[in-house]
Amino acid sequence: MELRLAAESDVPQIARLYDLARASLRDAGVPQWQDGYPNGEDALGDIRAGHGYVLTKNGRVAAFACLAFGVEPAYNIIEDGAWLGEGEYGFLHRVAVDPALKGRGAAGIFFSELKRQAKERDIKIIRGDTHRLNLPMQRVMAKNGLELRGVIHVEDGSERLAYECILE
């Protein structure tokens, strides 16, 4: 698999990945992403901001994620816990992996890249969040060194489990 910045021409394949992810979450009883978010327009926004990354396999988009740095407004208030770090941080959002590649380390590649870019920027904090019922993403975060820190609420008011890793 090869990691690269996403291009606008990748959007149709990314939108397909989001549709597959939405169906997979629905089938698993997870209500996350069932309202049409994220979609191709969201991916296009990530790409235009320079935050969209794809993993390709044999020239096809196999996974997509937003890797960004700065401040995520939803992380400003954390309940039932606390953040460990202060200041700028990196975060991973809108991860979608082709079902044929699930369990083969695709999400881990995104986390590794996020950590690499954070170190290059001298940023010591990585954060992420997921739905309480999204057990696969919870396992991915734990496997990549992120620790459950509490609960945040996203833009629509729904809760998410919040994770954080302090880089050495």
Side-chain angles (χ1 to χ4, degrees), residues 72-78 83 89 91-93 127-129 152 162:
E72 166 56 60
Y75 295 171
N76 288 343
I77 298 173
I78 186 167
W83 297 118
Y89 49 87
F91 52 95
L92 189 65
H93 281 327
R127 292 183 179 161
D129 66 87
I152 56 102

Side-chain angles (χ1 to χ4, degrees), residues 99-118:
L101 290 177
K102 288 204 175 178
R104 296 191 183 168
I109 293 170
F110 285 129
F111 275 105
S112 292
E113 178 63 13
L114 182 61
K115 289 176 181 178
R116 185 191 68 74
Q117 288 189 32

